[in-house]
Amino acid sequence: MNTNTATVVLVHGAWAGETAWNKVTSILRIDGIKAVTVRLPLSSLADDTAALDEALEQIEGPVVLVGHAYAGAVIGSAQSSKVQALVYVAGLAPDRGETVAEVFNRFEHDALTPPLAPDSEGWIRLPADAFATAFAQHATPEEQQALAATQPPIAPAAITVPAGAPLWKRVPSWYLLAEQDHMIPAQTQRFVATRMQAHIASYPVDHVPSVTAPALVANLIVDAVKHSGH
């Protein structure tokens, strides 16, 4: 494939960790694109941004950053000058002064969205049954069980602190809009994607198309790699 030399860096959000990118990274590597994942602590937006920036320091050359859901806020907070494009997968993209929670709750959720609150340890976990009903309803039962068993919880500090000036105001962005998402309403996704002036690809997919429709995710990333950085 005739692409530039950008490395694709995939960043997970809450409740679906690095392994949720496995199918996408396999497709990208077959296409000759270098792809790596980053693990976030999900302890605060500042901690997560620092973890991403540290990972980017280890990469030579330009980068295309991909963020799922909450990680949209993290890739938008990145400080590295290596980033030449942002790709959001059902992502949240707060503007300066907005919190992730404010964007998440901008429009009304449907009846399938599970209640979310910190547990006794101070972490927000997704109820196990929500993976089949709201989070990954298009996945196989085995995939749903694996997601539930390996979910990385998120701390309130990640979603309640205002974001700084977002990177999407300075670099081009692409957005995969998940029309059948029961976690982040499609209306919310379209709002943030339009505000960013992103290249929007809208599909009838669930909240984790990296697992349930990986080719669609990979195709959008390839488009970003091809058409950014020129």
Side-chain angles (χ1 to χ4, degrees):
M1 172 173 289
N2 183 21
T3 67
N4 61 20
T5 57
T7 298
V8 173
V9 178
L10 302 112
V11 188
H12 67 84
W15 313 309
E18 286 179 282
T19 58
W21 294 116
N22 285 353
K23 295 179 182 179
V24 175
T25 57
S26 294
I27 295 171
L28 294 175
R29 289 165 184 163
I30 290 171
D31 285 344
I33 297 173
K34 184 179 179 181
V36 298
T37 60
V38 174
R39 179 175 298 178
L40 300 181
L42 300 180
S43 49
S44 72
L45 182 57
D47 290 347
D48 294 334
T49 303
L52 175 57
D53 285 335
E54 182 178 354
L56 294 178
E57 289 180 6
Q58 311 304 315
I59 297 174
E60 294 184 3
V63 167
V64 169
L65 272 182
V66 183
H68 173 242
Y70 160 73
V74 182
I75 66 173
S77 300
Q79 300 299 312
S80 175
S81 61
K82 299 174 183 178
V83 181
Q84 65 180 22
L86 301 171
V87 180
Y88 292 78
V89 180
L92 296 166
D95 201 346
R96 179 197 288 268
E98 288 181 333
T99 68
V100 172
E102 287 170 344
V103 179
F104 179 76
N105 291 310
R106 185 175 186 90
F107 296 104
E108 186 175 357
H109 291 257
D110 65 32
L112 291 175
T113 306
L116 300 171
D119 61 16
S120 60
E121 298 175 345
W123 293 89
I124 303 171
R125 291 180 168 84
L126 201 63
D129 58 358
F131 286 89
T133 59
F135 195 82
Q137 71 269 22
H138 296 169
T140 66
E142 292 76 17
E143 289 170 334
Q144 292 164 354
Q145 292 167 11
L147 285 166
T150 61
Q151 64 165 304
I154 190 168
I159 62 173
T160 56
V161 176
L167 189 57
W168 49 260
K169 290 189 174 181
R170 305 196 303 275
V171 303
S173 57
W174 278 253
Y175 197 104
L176 192 151
L177 195 158
E179 298 167 2
Q180 297 178 8
D181 192 332
H182 296 301
M183 296 298 299
I184 300 173
Q187 186 179 9
T188 300
Q189 295 180 46
R190 188 166 294 280
F191 167 78
V192 297
T194 302
R195 181 170 67 176
M196 289 190 292
Q197 299 182 334
H199 305 271
I200 302 172
S202 183
Y203 300 108
V205 296
D206 63 14
H207 185 62
V208 279
S210 60
V211 174
T212 58
L216 296 179
V217 179
N219 287 344
L220 188 64
I221 295 170
V222 169
D223 189 58
V225 171
K226 281 183 173 181
H227 295 104
S228 62
H230 299 302

